[in-house]
């Protein structure tokens, strides 16, 4: 079995397994096939972790695999890894370029406002990195993270992994959005799952040569913001349809199946019919 | 009162100590006359004989000489010395300074005592004998001097006059009157009247103070006119009548002494004989005379009290019955105030009692029935007539008017359509207000059983209209006003159906209904969700594939045989020449092409199914180059 097949198989398994134990399943799969570790960690979205930046007045930031190096996570506020890495590790650890760091700072500020407007709480973080090794290229990739929820397991995690590829004056934005919803109301009922969709959009961005870098950054932020705004609203409606409509289908299915049972008494059948008529 | 008594005991104790001390110093007998007298005074019980003697001395003596003689006559061996005086003064001063101001008094407490003692000593200078007790003598002296100085300085004398204290309290217990009656008088007349009532006591010690007060009060009002008239009265009246007279008259006589000395002798004589207890009725009559005198002119005041009583008995009720105008009342009000202080409470009750019962019912009735004028209040007959008139008039107005209109209108309403609200509204508007009032008044009188037949008539009327014209809108609207909302909705629905039926025959409608019912079972098919449909489709495809596989089962067998042959050939080729290899390869390629074509067909379906499970995260950016974690989550 090739690594690709194993990779696909692992993804299929993770899709079908209990989403509440996603981390355990990933861990087990990596233990089973260590060569898949890098791919699984980068492709499988797990609930986001919140950490505090000690060098930014304990400001919270979100942690995922994209801002991780070894066991530390980079803070978007201080651009440092916490817990602090060794000097050697820091030299090897990834950091965005100056230009991209400026865009990252701007993106963090702007999406923090977005988070405040839409989520009315929670935490947001944006991490960017270069797609190519060449710093001069305008192509970049990044992740926009939002997390809103109380200290219990109830939470909304949205992960937008974006790629911006310039083709002349236009930039193609490909955004892969994953929403992890977890609702746990004690022992009565738990509802959790994730939904991933990929959207691609090409928008005009003036080249950096003709305009200032700041204007380019603002253009990128505006484009990304509008796309993410649309995607999130769509994802929300999709979640409603997926989660709640699916549960409704299950509910109706169970009721219809009971109505078809021959062993059921006629009284119960009449009651069900009355219930259907009332609907 | 209890505290005062305690204080008195203390002072008495103190005085006793002083006396004991004096007795020890001078080896005198403990029961010396002077000490006994002081004790006697401390108990504040004065003998009647002493008071009589004092009265004799007071009213007969014009000069100090007879007093002196009597003093010497009635004196015992007085052992007063300068040391005694000092001890006595010290005791007195102590009491005066440390004891609180007393409403009651004893003769020791008076300023008079010291002054007279000193003056008496100066006059005598030697041992003196007293016919009367020393204190009585001094009191009499004091009163005499006060009487002489009244004209000059009335205020000072008034200030020095003692107020009644302990002896009166003792007298109260002996009095026939209850304390409640005295309190009632206090309420009506104030402090002066209460004191005046206390003066009714039979014991003489209360007399001198009463005189002094009465003189002061009456002098203010009508002092100059009295002496002339009294001279006439004394001549006309008999002596026993005067004996029965209360000491108040003697007070007046005493007051007249200052002006006319001769007349005083006639008045004082009957008082030597102990006055019998005066009946209350007479007292009351005297008080009434005082009031009437105040109400009357100054000329009438000069009359004797008996004449005044006789007049007052006639005049009191005469004067009170017709209410004088306010202007006439105002003038005698000022003397009234003076006289009211002297009134006994019984007098006040008698004179005031007739007035309130007359005024009170008028005020009450007027407030209840209707506001009355002052003229009507004065005439009770008019008031009663008016009250009767008002009582009669009110119910007639309320009851008579509505009744005649009642019987006529219900009949008219029965004939008309009661349920057509528009018509009734028009009727009411046309008739105006009186009709509306009449309807209101009829409603309680109407017998209830009359209503149901009306309803029956209306129901029949409904059906008739409905049969003729099915879709008359105005009739429906009228019924909608009364029917509940549900019924209205049902009617609306029925009309819509009727509209549809009117155009289309009934058979077609039934067909349509049947068609709808036939289409109804298709609804549950909608409930089937898309994934289920896809699953079913997949299952169907798999079934088809399995069928095709089953159908093509001999082919793989053939291929297997071929493959096995090719394998053998390959194995041989490794050993055999390359030319043969090339031939074999070409043959194998052809074989593969052949074999792949049938195999690839199901694989495409499988890919299609796999495409549905494609993971978008798989193609997304994988992030910067980074090291793996040491421990995976």
């Amino acid at each position: 079995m090739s690594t690709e097949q194993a990779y696909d198989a692992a993804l299929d398994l993770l899709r079908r397994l209990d989403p509440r134990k996603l981390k355990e399943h990933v861990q087990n799969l990596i233990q089973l096939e260590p060569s898949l570790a890098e791919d699984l960690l980068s492709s499988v979205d797990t609930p986001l972790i919140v950490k505090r930046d000690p060098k930014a007045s304990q400001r919270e930031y979100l942690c995922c695999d994209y801002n991780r190096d070894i066991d530390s996570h980079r803070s978007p506020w201080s651009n440092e890894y916490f817990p602090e890495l060794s000097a050697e590790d820091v030299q090897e650890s990834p950091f965005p370029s100056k230009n991209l760091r400026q865009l990252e700072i701007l993106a963090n500020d702007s999406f923090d406002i977005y988070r405040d407007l839409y989520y009315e709480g929670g935490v947001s973080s944006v991490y960017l990195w270069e797609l190519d090794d060449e710093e001069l290229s305008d192509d970049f990739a990044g992740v926009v993270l939002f997390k809103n929820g109380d200290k219990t397991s109830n939470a909304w995690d949205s992960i937008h992994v974006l790629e911006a590829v310039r083709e002349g004056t236009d930039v193609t934005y490909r955004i892969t959005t994953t929403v992890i919803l977890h609702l746990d109301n004690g022992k009565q009922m738990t509802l959790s799952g994730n939904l991933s969709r990929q959207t691609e959009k090409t928008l005009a961005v003036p080249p950096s040569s003709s305009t200032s870098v700041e204007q380019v950054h603002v253009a990128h932020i505006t484009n990304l913001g509008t796309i993410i705004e649309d995607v999130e609203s769509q994802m929300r409606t999709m979640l409603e349809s997926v989660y709640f409509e699916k549960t409704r289908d299950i509910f109706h299915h169970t009721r219809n199946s009971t109505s078809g049972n021959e062993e059921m008494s006629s009284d119960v059948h009449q009651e069900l019919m009355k219930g259907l008529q009332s609907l | 009162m209890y505290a005062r008594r305690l204080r008195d005991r203390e002072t008495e104790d103190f005085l006793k100590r002083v006396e004991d001390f004096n007795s020890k110093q001078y080896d005198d007998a403990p029961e010396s006359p002077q000490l006994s007298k002081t004790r006697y005074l401390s108990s504040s019980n004065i003998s009647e004989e002493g008071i009589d003697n004092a009265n004799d001395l007071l009213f007969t003596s014009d000069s100090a000489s007879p007093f002196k003689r009597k003093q010497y006559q009635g004196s015992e061996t007085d052992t007063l010395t300068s040391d005694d005086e000092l001890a006595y003064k010290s005791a007195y001063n102590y009491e005066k300074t440390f004891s609180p101001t007393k409403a009651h008094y004893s003769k020791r407490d008076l300023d008079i005592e010291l002054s007279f003692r000193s003056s008496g000593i100066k006059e005598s200078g030697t041992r003196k004998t007293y016919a009367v007790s020393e204190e009585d003598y001094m009191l009499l002296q004091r009163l005499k001097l006060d009487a002489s100085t009244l004209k000059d300085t009335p205020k000072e004398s008034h200030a020095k006059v003692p107020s009644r204290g302990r002896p009166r309290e003792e007298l109260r217990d002996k009095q026939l009157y209850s304390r409640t009656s005295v309190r009632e008088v206090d309420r009506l007349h104030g402090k002066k009247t209460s004191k005046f009532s206390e003066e009714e006591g039979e014991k003489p010690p209360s007399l001198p103070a009463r005189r002094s007060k009465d003189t002061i009060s009456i002098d203010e009002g009508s002092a100059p006119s009295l002496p002339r008239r009294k001279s006439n009265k004394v001549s006309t009246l008999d002596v026993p009548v005067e004996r029965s007279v209360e000491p108040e008259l003697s007070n007046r006589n005493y007051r007249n002494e200052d002006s006319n000395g001769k007349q005083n002798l006639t008045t004082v004589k009957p008082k030597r004989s102990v006055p019998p207890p005066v009946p209350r009725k007479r007292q009351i009559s005297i008080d009434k005379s005082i009031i009437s005198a105040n109400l009357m002119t100054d000329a009438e005041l000069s009359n004797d009290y008996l004449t005044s009583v006789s007049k007052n008995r006639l005049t009191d009720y005469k004067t009170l019955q017709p209410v004088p105008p306010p202007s006439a009342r105002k003038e005698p009000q000022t003397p009234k105030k003076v006289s009211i202080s002297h009134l006994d409470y019984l007098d006040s009750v008698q004179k005031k009692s007739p007035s309130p019962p007359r005024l009170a019912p008028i005020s009450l009735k007027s407030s209840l029935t209707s506001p009355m004028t002052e003229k009507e209040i004065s005439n009770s007959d008019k008031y009663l007539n008016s009250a009767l008139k008002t009582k009669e008039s009110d119910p007639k107005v309320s009851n008579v008017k509505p009744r005649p209109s009642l019987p006529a209108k219900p009949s008219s309403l029965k004939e008309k359509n009661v349920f057509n609200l528009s018509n009734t509204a028009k009727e009411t508007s046309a008739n105006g207000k009186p009709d509306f009032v009449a309807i209101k008044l009829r409603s309680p009188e109407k017998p209830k059983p009359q209503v149901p037949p009306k309803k029956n008539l209306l129901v029949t009327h409904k059906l008739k209209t409905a049969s003729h014209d099915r879709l008359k809108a105005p009739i429906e609207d009228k019924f909608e006003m009364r029917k509940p909302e549900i019924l209205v909705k049902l009617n609306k629905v029925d009309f819509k159906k009727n509209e549809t039926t009117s155009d289309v025959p009934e058979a077609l409608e039934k067909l349509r209904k049947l068609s709808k019912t036939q289409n109804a079972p298709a609804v549950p098919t909608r409930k089937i969700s898309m994934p289920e449909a896809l699953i079913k489709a997949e299952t169907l495809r798999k079934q088809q594939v399995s069928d095709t596989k089953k159908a093509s089962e001999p082919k793989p067998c053939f291929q297997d045989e071929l493959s096995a042959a090719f394998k053998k050939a390959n194995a041989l080729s490794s050993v055999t020449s390359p030319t043969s290899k090339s031939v074999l390869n070409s043959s194998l390629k052809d074989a593969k092409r052949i074999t792949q074509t049938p195999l690839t067909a199901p694989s495409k379906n499988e890919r299609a199914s796999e495409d549905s499970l494609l993971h978008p995260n798989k193609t997304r950016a994988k992030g910067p180059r980074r090291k793996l974690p040491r421990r995976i989550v």
Side-chain angles (χ1 to χ4, degrees):
Chain A
M1 192 179 227
S2 63
T3 54
E4 192 173 353
Q5 285 178 342
Y7 183 42
D8 290 335
L11 290 174
D12 290 339
L13 272 172
L14 290 168
R15 183 181 283 186
R16 288 173 172 82
L17 290 169
D18 190 358
R20 291 179 297 178
K21 298 175 182 177
L22 192 63
K23 287 182 180 177
E24 293 176 10
H25 297 315
V26 170
Q27 194 174 353
N28 293 328
L29 285 169
I30 289 166
Q31 284 178 356
L32 194 73
E33 187 64 40
S35 61
L36 296 174
E38 191 176 352
D39 294 329
L40 286 172
L41 288 169
S42 61
S43 60
V44 175
D45 292 320
T46 55
L48 300 168
I49 299 162
V50 180
K51 284 187 177 179
R52 291 180 181 276
D53 187 356
K55 292 186 178 178
S57 67
Q58 298 293 329
R59 192 174 178 181
E60 290 179 335
Y61 66 96
L62 295 170
C63 303
C64 66
D65 192 66
Y66 294 105
N67 67 331
R68 181 194 57 76
D69 189 21
I70 309 175
D71 292 329
S72 300
H73 291 87
R74 185 171 65 90
S75 170
W77 317 119
S78 63
N79 198 23
E80 290 184 13
Y81 285 89
F82 297 103
E84 291 182 357
L85 295 167
S86 62
E88 293 177 357
D89 293 332
V90 169
Q91 285 179 357
E92 292 178 357
S93 59
F95 287 97
S97 62
K98 286 184 180 178
N99 189 15
L100 201 63
R101 174 64 186 159
Q102 287 179 356
L103 182 65
E104 190 181 74
I105 291 163
L106 186 65
N108 274 297
D109 293 335
S110 59
F111 280 107
D112 191 50
I113 293 160
Y114 171 88
R115 186 263 317 156
D116 192 25
L117 291 168
Y118 277 94
Y119 291 87
E120 296 179 353
V123 188
S124 66
S125 297
V126 179
Y127 303 100
L128 298 177
W129 62 92
E130 286 83 12
L131 280 172
D132 299 327
D133 292 334
E134 295 176 357
E135 291 183 355
L136 295 172
S137 66
D138 291 337
D139 298 341
F140 66 92
V143 62
V144 180
L145 307 171
F146 296 103
K147 185 179 180 71
N148 191 16
D150 51 3
K151 290 179 180 178
T152 60
S153 57
N154 298 321
W156 170 289
D157 297 324
S158 61
I159 300 158
H160 305 274
V161 179
L162 57 98
E163 292 173 54
V165 179
R166 182 176 280 278
E167 292 176 357
T169 55
D170 296 334
V171 175
T172 303
Y173 298 97
R174 191 175 67 179
I175 295 169
T176 307
T177 302
T178 304
V179 174
I180 302 165
L181 182 68
H182 185 74
L183 301 171
D184 190 1
N185 187 13
K187 295 177 181 177
Q188 292 178 350
M189 186 177 178
T190 54
L191 195 148
S192 62
N194 53 18
L195 186 69
S196 297
R197 291 288 182 274
Q198 197 172 59
T199 54
E200 195 171 320
K201 202 168 186 178
T202 304
L203 294 166
V205 176
S208 59
S209 59
S210 62
T211 57
S212 64
V213 177
E214 290 178 354
Q215 286 179 349
V216 173
H217 290 171
V218 169
H220 281 301
I221 296 298
T222 50
N223 292 331
L224 287 169
T226 51
I227 293 162
I228 287 167
E229 191 177 8
D230 294 335
V231 167
E232 279 210 328
S233 63
Q234 287 175 6
M235 292 290 280
R236 187 179 174 181
T237 53
M238 285 172 77
L239 272 172
E240 286 176 2
S241 63
V242 167
Y243 283 95
F244 301 106
E245 288 294 326
K246 184 65 182 174
T247 51
R248 195 179 172 184
D249 289 337
I250 292 161
F251 173 70
H252 284 296
H253 181 69
T254 52
R255 195 172 60 183
N256 290 325
S257 65
T258 53
S259 65
N261 193 358
E262 291 178 357
E263 293 176 354
M264 185 176 283
S265 63
S266 62
D267 296 332
V268 176
H269 184 69
Q270 286 178 357
E271 286 177 2
L272 284 166
M273 291 299 288
K274 285 178 183 176
L276 287 164
Q277 285 176 357
S278 66
L279 290 170
Chain B
M1 293 295 286
Y2 185 72
R4 284 175 183 176
R5 284 175 186 176
L6 285 170
R7 284 282 179 87
D8 293 332
R9 285 174 186 172
E10 286 176 3
T11 53
E12 284 170 9
D13 293 335
F14 177 75
L15 287 167
K16 283 175 183 176
R17 283 178 207 164
V18 170
E19 286 165 8
D20 293 329
F21 180 73
N22 288 327
S23 64
K24 283 175 185 175
Q25 249 187 341
Y26 297 101
D27 295 323
D28 291 337
E31 293 180 356
S32 63
Q34 183 64 35
L35 291 169
S36 66
K37 282 171 188 174
T38 53
R39 284 179 185 175
Y40 178 74
L41 284 167
S42 65
S43 65
S44 72
N45 290 322
I46 299 160
S47 65
E48 291 179 359
E49 292 176 1
I51 290 156
D52 291 330
N53 290 323
N55 286 322
D56 292 331
L57 288 166
L58 186 65
F59 295 116
T60 53
S61 64
D62 289 333
S63 62
S65 60
F67 287 102
K68 286 178 183 177
R69 288 172 189 172
K70 286 183 180 179
Q71 283 173 0
Y72 291 127
Q73 285 173 2
S75 67
E76 294 174 0
T77 55
D78 195 0
T79 59
L80 279 170
T81 59
S82 61
D83 294 326
D84 291 333
E85 284 178 4
L86 283 168
Y88 194 80
K89 282 177 184 178
S90 64
Y92 176 74
N93 286 322
Y94 175 81
E95 190 180 2
K96 190 185 178 184
T97 51
F98 291 102
S99 64
T101 55
K102 294 176 181 178
H104 62 281
Y105 74 99
S106 62
K107 287 175 184 177
R108 292 177 300 166
D109 299 334
L110 299 171
D111 292 332
I112 308 157
E113 202 170 356
L114 257 182
S115 62
F116 278 96
R117 186 177 285 275
S118 61
S119 65
I121 289 158
K122 281 177 185 177
E123 286 173 1
S124 62
T126 57
R127 290 180 182 177
K128 295 171 183 177
T129 57
Y130 295 94
V132 187
S133 65
E134 191 181 0
E135 285 75 18
D136 292 336
Y137 167 71
M138 287 178 179
L139 180 65
L140 290 164
Q141 284 283 74
R142 175 64 183 156
L143 289 166
K144 195 174 181 182
L145 284 168
D146 288 335
S148 63
T149 55
L150 260 174
K151 289 178 181 177
D152 296 330
T153 56
K155 287 180 182 178
E156 289 176 358
S157 66
H158 184 69
K160 288 177 182 177
V161 168
S163 59
R164 295 294 170 98
R166 188 178 286 174
R168 293 195 175 184
E169 288 173 1
E170 290 173 356
L171 287 167
R172 277 179 192 175
D173 298 329
K174 294 175 182 179
Q175 279 174 354
L176 294 168
Y177 297 107
S178 63
R179 287 184 180 180
T180 54
S181 65
V182 175
R183 285 173 188 172
E184 285 175 1
V185 174
D186 288 333
R187 287 176 189 171
L188 292 166
H189 301 287
K191 289 179 181 178
K192 286 184 178 179
T193 52
S194 67
K195 284 174 184 176
F196 190 75
S197 65
E198 286 170 355
E199 286 172 3
E200 290 173 355
E202 293 175 0
K203 285 197 172 184
S206 62
L207 291 171
R210 202 191 298 163
R211 285 172 188 172
S212 64
K213 280 187 176 181
D214 291 334
T215 51
I216 290 154
S217 63
I218 292 161
D219 283 332
E220 289 173 2
S222 60
S225 62
L226 284 169
R228 292 175 187 173
R229 287 162 193 171
K230 276 201 170 177
S231 61
N232 295 324
K233 287 170 194 171
V234 171
S235 61
T236 54
L237 291 169
D238 295 330
V239 175
V241 174
E242 277 198 305
R243 281 178 185 173
S244 67
V245 171
E246 244 216 339
E248 287 181 359
L249 287 170
S250 68
N251 291 333
R252 287 179 187 176
N253 293 325
Y254 173 69
R255 184 195 60 197
N256 293 326
E257 278 177 5
D258 297 328
S259 59
N260 299 317
K262 291 177 181 178
Q263 292 174 358
N264 291 329
L265 291 168
T266 57
T267 54
V268 171
K269 282 178 181 177
K271 284 187 178 177
R272 284 181 182 175
S273 63
V274 177
V278 180
R280 283 181 189 173
K281 288 180 181 177
R282 288 184 180 181
Q283 285 179 356
I284 292 154
S285 66
I286 291 155
D287 295 328
K288 283 176 186 176
S289 70
I290 293 157
I291 293 157
S292 64
N294 291 319
L295 292 166
M296 292 156 79
T297 58
D298 293 330
E300 289 173 353
L301 287 166
S302 62
N303 291 329
D304 193 11
Y305 88 99
L306 284 172
T307 55
S308 66
V309 165
S310 62
K311 285 180 181 178
N312 288 328
R313 283 176 186 173
L314 297 169
T315 53
D316 283 339
Y317 297 105
K318 283 176 184 177
T319 51
L320 289 167
Q321 279 175 357
V323 178
S327 61
R329 286 180 186 176
K330 284 177 184 176
E331 289 178 358
Q333 275 178 353
T334 49
K336 254 190 181 178
K337 286 177 183 175
V338 176
S339 66
I340 283 160
S341 64
H342 298 285
L343 284 171
D344 193 1
Y345 81 98
L346 288 169
D347 296 336
S348 65
V349 168
Q350 282 184 355
K351 288 188 177 179
K352 288 184 179 179
S353 62
S355 62
R358 285 176 189 176
L359 294 168
I362 291 158
S363 62
L364 287 167
K365 285 177 182 176
S366 62
S367 64
L368 288 167
T369 55
S370 62
M372 301 289 284
T373 57
E374 291 179 354
K375 290 176 181 178
E376 288 174 349
I377 291 160
S378 63
N379 297 322
S380 61
D381 294 331
K382 286 178 182 178
Y383 166 75
L384 289 167
N385 291 325
S386 65
L388 289 165
K389 282 174 184 178
T390 51
K391 282 177 183 175
E392 287 173 356
S393 63
D394 290 330
K396 282 176 183 176
V397 172
S398 61
N399 291 323
V400 172
K401 286 181 180 178
R403 283 179 184 174
S405 63
L406 285 171
K409 288 179 181 177
S411 61
S412 65
L413 286 165
K414 284 175 187 175
E415 290 172 3
K416 290 174 185 178
N417 289 324
V418 179
F419 291 97
N420 291 325
L421 288 170
S422 61
N423 293 325
T424 53
K426 285 175 184 177
E427 285 174 5
T428 52
S429 63
N431 291 324
K433 288 179 181 178
D435 294 332
F436 185 71
V437 172
I439 288 158
K440 277 185 178 177
L441 292 165
R442 281 169 210 163
S443 59
E445 291 180 355
K446 279 179 185 177
K448 290 181 179 177
Q450 289 179 358
V451 179
K454 290 176 186 176
K455 285 181 180 176
N456 291 324
L457 290 167
L458 285 165
V459 170
T460 53
H461 184 68
K462 254 192 213 174
L463 291 165
K464 284 173 185 175
T465 52
S467 62
H468 290 296
D469 299 323
R470 288 179 180 177
L471 301 170
K472 280 186 177 179
I475 294 160
E476 287 174 5
D477 293 328
K478 285 171 188 175
F479 288 114
E480 280 177 2
M481 294 295 285
R482 290 164 193 175
K483 286 179 179 178
E485 291 180 357
I486 296 160
L487 291 168
V488 172
K489 285 177 182 176
L490 287 167
N491 287 325
K492 284 179 180 178
V493 171
D494 292 330
F495 281 116
K496 285 176 183 177
K497 285 177 181 177
N498 289 324
E499 285 174 1
T500 54
T501 53
S502 63
D503 297 330
V504 184
E506 291 180 358
L508 289 170
E509 285 181 358
K510 286 177 181 176
L511 282 168
R512 285 177 185 175
K513 286 177 183 176
L514 289 166
S515 65
K516 284 177 183 176
T517 52
Q518 284 173 359
N519 291 326
V523 175
T525 55
R526 290 177 190 171
K527 289 181 180 178
I528 294 163
S529 61
M530 291 301 288
E532 286 178 356
L534 290 167
I535 291 159
K536 283 180 181 177
E538 286 176 1
T539 51
L540 288 168
R541 285 171 188 173
K542 282 177 183 176
Q543 284 177 358
Q544 286 176 0
V545 169
S546 61
D547 293 333
T548 52
K549 281 181 180 177
K550 285 176 183 175
S552 62
E553 273 180 359
K555 288 179 181 176
C557 292
F558 178 70
Q559 286 176 355
D560 289 333
E561 285 176 359
L562 283 171
S563 63
F566 285 128
K567 284 177 182 176
K568 287 178 182 175
N570 287 323
L572 289 168
S573 65
S574 61
V575 180
T576 58
S577 61
T579 54
S580 62
K581 286 181 183 177
S582 62
V583 174
L584 285 168
N585 286 328
S586 61
S587 64
L588 282 170
K589 284 178 182 176
D590 294 331
K592 280 182 181 177
R593 283 173 188 171
I594 295 158
T595 54
Q596 282 177 355
T597 47
L599 289 169
T600 50
S603 66
K604 283 179 182 176
N605 291 323
E606 286 176 1
R607 281 177 187 176
S609 64
E610 284 176 1
D611 289 335
S612 65
L613 292 169
L614 279 174
H615 304 285
N617 293 341
K618 194 180 172 181
T619 57
R620 73 181 186 187
K622 291 187 178 179
R625 289 177 184 175
R626 57 193 181 276
K627 293 177 184 174
L628 287 168
R630 290 169 187 165
R631 54 176 183 180
I632 296 163
V633 189

